[in-house]
Amino acid sequence: MAARTALVYDEEMTRYKLLWVDPACKVEVPERLTVSYAALKARGLAARCVALPVRGATDEDVLLVHSEEYLEAVKQTPHMDLEGLMKFTQQYGDVYFHPNIYHCATLAIGATLQLVDSVMTGKVRNGMALVRPPGHHSQRSAANGFCVFNNVAIAALYAKKHYDVKRVLIVDWDIHHGQGVQYCFEEDPSVLYFSWHRYEHQSFWPNLQESDYDTVGKGKGLGFNINLPWNKVGMNNSDYLSAFFHVLLPVAYEFSPDLVFVSAGFDSAIGDPEGHMCATPDVFAHLTHLLMSLAGGKLCAVLEVSSGEAEDKPEDLVWPEPLSRPAPAVRTAVAFLPGVRSSVPQGCQRLEETSPASAGPAGRCGFVHAVLGLVLPLAYQYSPGLVLVALAEGSGVDVAAWAQLTSLLQGVAQGRMLTLMQGCEEDTLRATAASLMGEPTSALGPTGTLIPEDARVLERERKRLQGRWGLLQTAEPPRSIRTSPQLLG
């Protein structure tokens, strides 16, 4: 599989703007896209990615989600004068139209589909589409919340249609609920939709009762819609990581997606004038890393709304720059025990033979829940400078589960990891070396249901340790043991 990341961007998507006064829409500006791309260029990240060209969406693409009547109506907007655009806009909520917005909206879809094509054909491993207008609020026959067409929903159905993808996970970390995506898939058990969003007991936009936690899908899709409504502001790195460890990831591993989408809105980061959250930028890298262990690493991140600039930013609102993580010339080295000869992936450095140095719940499901519910929360809160993992013959841990563990733990200690293995089969050694080199781990497949005895063991350990380790908390902890908002700082 290709080892590179794609970036999709075209300046053409900046060529529309609000033509009249509308306080609700003034924050949706072309700079939302240009500033994001400029930041990637300034840090040298854009140059490290595979640049993909943008294409326009076809009518067939748009009609995967939207009605023909709505598509034909939007097609007329390039021919409208200012008065006509204002009148057309008034039938929708918190959105505006411009003579060039239909063109840009088709490019936003096309950019997302180009990314899907490249990931699914193996041209790249994963990637991000910087698009405008965003999409997750758009509904079958309605524009909404700056969104004209639903980019991610269209891409999910496109992947199912053209690549026979059976299960799709959509993770929406925008500060607003992506109700358009929820409506599209609420009866579809092949798409698992997870959204966290500022809610405050329905007082925050889009002010919908169906954005609450008890909306879990309908019919055959019952249980495949997960809403995590934040009923207060100020959520920090610990809150976001806990949501992944204790809510999203256990479900995602059981669901076992073939493809992962991220509706990547960054108004949920610190400094956004509307989100009012306290999660620092680097936590989003960790969230992305955690998702990359799913679906064999096939992940498509699609920009929704990026963070705005606060007009009244408090002087004391500061956050650290994410730590740099330079890649060494040789990432992975392997040392063999005396008399052991084995094959490892190309690129591993072989060390001289070494001398030997003097598990938890049974089964794959129990192992995965132990990793997600205990090991990762402890590792992230402890924030070590080095991770050491050991595996011995007869541990009962299978190759795929072990590879998942080594992959997930590379999110801490800036990827510095040492593995000690004794009496292991050659395929385990190869899988471990590949994981340490950054290759995507094989999908585990559906993990099944946690057996009652394993559940009791894990819950007992969590309760025993949670007084010291706040990330193990699954309910609001006492003030004395709350974790720091700068957990990753």
Side-chain angles (χ1 to χ4, degrees):
M1 175 180 282
R4 300 192 67 186
T5 294
L7 180 65
V8 196
Y9 170 79
D10 193 311
E11 192 175 352
E12 182 66 24
M13 286 181 280
T14 68
R15 295 194 171 101
Y16 73 91
K17 62 181 181 179
L18 182 64
L19 298 176
W20 56 87
V21 176
D22 185 346
C25 293
K26 68 177 184 178
V27 298
E28 210 301 305
V29 293
E31 290 75 15
R32 184 177 72 79
L33 206 57
T34 56
V35 169
S36 299
Y37 183 65
L40 294 178
K41 286 185 65 178
R43 292 183 178 273
L45 295 173
R48 292 166 56 186
C49 295
V50 176
L52 298 180
V54 172
R55 70 166 174 87
T58 65
D59 285 2
E60 181 183 5
D61 297 330
V62 178
L63 293 173
L64 287 170
V65 168
H66 298 282
S67 69
E68 187 171 359
E69 294 77 12
Y70 175 65
L71 172 59
E72 292 303 318
V74 176
K75 279 184 174 181
Q76 302 308 309
T77 57
H79 313 294
M80 295 179 183
D81 58 17
L82 181 62
E83 183 178 354
L85 289 167
M86 293 178 68
K87 184 177 180 181
F88 185 78
T89 295
Q90 288 170 0
Q91 63 187 306
Y92 306 116
D94 296 306
V95 69
Y96 66 88
F97 281 84
H98 178 280
N100 202 40
I101 202 170
Y102 167 69
H103 173 57
C104 292
T106 61
L107 291 180
I109 298 171
T112 306
L113 300 186
Q114 288 284 78
L115 179 57
V116 171
D117 287 336
S118 295
V119 169
M120 295 307 300
T121 58
K123 180 179 179 181
V124 297
R125 181 185 301 168
N126 51 50
M128 184 169 192
L130 296 180
V131 300
R132 179 174 179 263
H136 69 153
H137 299 304
S138 177
Q139 296 149 49
R140 175 171 169 77
S141 297
N144 187 256
F146 312 148
C147 304
V148 177
F149 299 131
N150 202 314
N151 307 315
V152 167
I154 291 170
L157 292 175
Y158 175 90
K160 285 166 59 66
K161 178 180 179 180
H162 292 277
Y163 297 101
D164 197 29
V165 170
K166 301 300 183 185
R167 293 179 300 278
V168 177
L169 169 64
I170 301 174
V171 178
D172 189 336
W173 63 45
D174 192 279
I175 201 62
H176 301 94
H177 181 223
Q179 79 276 33
V181 181
Q182 176 173 302
Y183 294 155
C184 184
F185 298 113
E186 60 188 351
E187 297 187 54
D188 187 348
S190 69
V191 178
L192 175 62
Y193 177 61
F194 172 89
S195 172
W196 67 36
H197 40 269
R198 185 176 169 187
Y199 188 61
E200 296 187 80
H201 306 286
Q202 206 177 325
S203 66
F204 190 72
W205 193 91
N207 312 103
L208 299 172
Q209 183 177 349
E210 54 265 38
S211 301
D212 209 351
Y213 70 91
D214 54 356
T215 298
V216 295
K218 300 178 179 178
K220 292 181 179 180
L222 193 67
F224 292 86
N225 187 88
I226 304 173
N227 286 328
L228 201 168
W230 304 119
N231 284 318
K232 62 179 181 180
V233 297
M235 296 299 167
N236 58 47
N237 296 344
S238 300
D239 298 305
Y240 285 10
L241 288 168
S242 290
F244 265 50
F245 295 149
H246 301 300
V247 182
L248 171 60
L249 291 177
V251 177
Y253 270 89
E254 184 171 346
F255 180 66
S256 188
D258 303 309
L259 178 63
V260 178
F261 287 97
V262 178
S263 285
F266 295 102
D267 46 5
S268 53
I270 192 169
D272 186 84
E274 192 163 335
H276 294 287
M277 297 301 178
C278 295
T280 57
D282 47 339
V283 78
F284 294 95
H286 288 272
L287 301 178
T288 304
H289 173 78
L290 292 168
L291 292 173
M292 285 167 61
S293 292
L294 297 162
K298 293 189 285 292
L299 184 146
C300 301
V302 182
L303 186 67
E304 294 292 351
V305 176
S306 54
S307 182
E309 183 67 28
E311 297 177 359
D312 54 350
K313 178 180 175 181
E315 293 184 2
D316 61 348
L317 185 59
V318 295
W319 53 90
E321 286 290 312
L323 296 173
S324 61
R325 184 175 170 175
V330 177
R331 292 193 59 191
T332 302
V334 178
F336 293 106
L337 299 174
V340 174
R341 288 290 181 270
S342 188
S343 61
V344 293
Q346 185 178 4
C348 283
Q349 177 179 341
R350 288 174 175 265
L351 303 180
E352 295 300 321
E353 294 178 347
T354 63
S355 298
S358 302
R364 177 178 288 183
C365 184
F367 180 82
V368 169
H369 278 268
V371 170
L372 299 178
L374 291 176
V375 176
L376 289 179
L378 290 171
Y380 269 86
Q381 187 170 352
Y382 184 61
S383 189
L386 175 69
V387 175
L388 187 149
V389 289
L391 182 68
E393 184 178 10
S395 67
V397 178
D398 64 41
V399 176
W402 170 253
Q404 287 283 336
L405 174 64
T406 56
S407 174
L408 290 166
L409 283 174
Q410 289 178 63
V412 295
Q414 292 188 274
R416 301 184 189 97
M417 177 179 288
L418 175 64
T419 63
L420 301 179
M421 304 172 67
Q422 183 176 20
C424 297
E425 298 291 335
E426 185 172 322
D427 58 347
T428 304
L429 177 61
R430 283 199 302 269
T432 304
S435 174
L436 294 175
M437 293 176 67
E439 292 294 325
T441 54
S442 300
L444 288 175
T447 57
T449 304
L450 192 63
I451 64 174
E453 179 57 30
D454 282 355
R456 285 192 291 269
V457 169
L458 292 173
E459 182 63 11
R460 183 177 67 239
E461 287 301 295
R462 189 189 64 78
K463 288 183 176 179
R464 184 177 69 85
L465 296 168
Q466 67 182 1
R468 171 63 179 84
W469 304 98
L471 268 184
L472 295 176
Q473 289 279 346
T474 54
E476 186 173 16
R479 289 186 178 274
S480 61
I481 59 172
R482 287 182 185 170
T483 50
S484 167
Q486 301 300 333
L487 185 64
L488 303 173

